Amino acid sequence: MIFSGFIKDIQNHKINDRWLVIIGAPMLGILMVVMPLILSNKYLSELNLSVTIGISVLFSAICWIGCRHIVFTLWKIFPWDKKPRLHLLFEIPGIFLWVTFLGFVFSFCITVIIFHKTFYFNGIFWYNVLIANFIAFFVTTIHEGIFFYFQWKYNIQRSEDLEKSTYEAQYEILRSQVNPHFLFNSLNTLA
């Protein structure tokens, strides 16, 4: 079966979604820089555009990989089919804390190391953390949606296989009842 391998891969954390990370994280990083340019025709950073894109892509990649690890770990510890409430109870705060921590580290490093200024928890910081969390939850929803899609396909395939084996078993029972030897023994018993 095709999908049983997918389920085993999920349980062993061997999902091959590298293409999604390799393409998605850089596109997301570039999009986070370009969207303000498109929407307001303003460049919002004091840094060079290529440096800003580089930092944004790095942030997106680290954020994506960390959220992916949280999701896969929780699939193993709290599977959706057995403990969905615990899965959500740990997934939402886990992703929120990871993205907020990562946002703090990046903001602190950019402010202190690059600009040589004092770091403050101001409105801009919390706005950026809010946007980063929104994007992280969107990406997590995509991962969970992909998982549910393949789980659904696996369950349909499994249901069809079980139905097929039930029909085959019924056929074998009928065939054994019509077997001439069985029929001869039954007639002898009746006689």
Side-chain angles (χ1 to χ4, degrees):
M1 285 207 284
I2 297 170
F3 300 110
S4 64
F6 177 78
I7 300 303
K8 288 177 186 174
D9 287 345
I10 286 173
Q11 293 170 348
N12 296 327
H13 301 286
K14 295 179 183 174
I15 292 178
N16 189 8
D17 65 341
R18 285 179 180 82
W19 60 270
L20 188 61
V21 176
I22 290 170
I23 294 170
M27 285 180 58
L28 185 62
I30 292 168
L31 190 66
M32 287 171 50
V33 173
V34 172
M35 282 307 289
L37 265 168
I38 294 171
L39 295 176
S40 66
N41 290 332
K42 293 180 183 176
Y43 179 62
L44 302 176
S45 177
E46 298 173 24
L47 293 173
N48 182 345
L49 183 62
S50 60
V51 172
T52 304
I53 289 174
I55 291 171
S56 182
V57 168
L58 181 64
F59 176 82
S60 296
I62 294 171
C63 184
W64 194 308
I65 291 168
C67 290
R68 178 183 178 271
H69 179 70
I70 291 169
V71 168
F72 288 176
T73 301
L74 289 174
W75 281 350
K76 185 176 181 181
I77 297 171
F78 303 118
W80 274 108
D81 58 340
K82 295 178 184 161
K83 300 176 183 176
R85 289 186 182 122
L86 284 173
H87 186 97
L88 280 176
L89 185 67
F90 284 94
E91 185 176 61
I92 292 170
I95 290 172
F96 177 78
L97 290 173
W98 168 248
V99 173
T100 303
F101 171 74
L102 198 59
F104 167 74
V105 169
F106 269 75
S107 296
F108 181 82
C109 289
I110 290 168
T111 304
V112 173
I113 295 172
I114 295 177
F115 291 123
H116 305 291
K117 294 180 180 177
T118 306
F119 176 76
Y120 298 106
F121 288 105
N122 56 14
I124 295 171
F125 168 76
W126 291 112
Y127 176 77
N128 290 337
V129 166
L130 179 71
I131 296 298
N133 272 296
F134 177 75
I135 292 169
F137 281 110
F138 177 73
V139 170
T140 302
T141 303
I142 290 172
H143 269 281
E144 294 288 5
I146 290 170
F147 168 75
F148 280 122
Y149 171 74
F150 281 110
Q151 185 69 34
W152 172 73
K153 286 187 84 167
Y154 166 75
N155 287 335
I156 286 178
Q157 182 67 38
R158 185 172 170 215
S159 174
E160 288 173 358
D161 290 345
L162 288 173
E163 189 175 342
K164 181 180 175 184
S165 65
T166 301
Y167 287 137
E168 287 174 358
Q170 288 175 349
Y171 173 73
E172 287 299 319
I173 290 171
L174 286 173
R175 202 173 102 197
S176 69
Q177 289 175 351
V178 178
N179 188 346
H181 182 69
F182 178 78
L183 186 61
F184 179 73
N185 288 340
S186 298
L187 291 175
N188 275 341
T189 305
L190 288 175

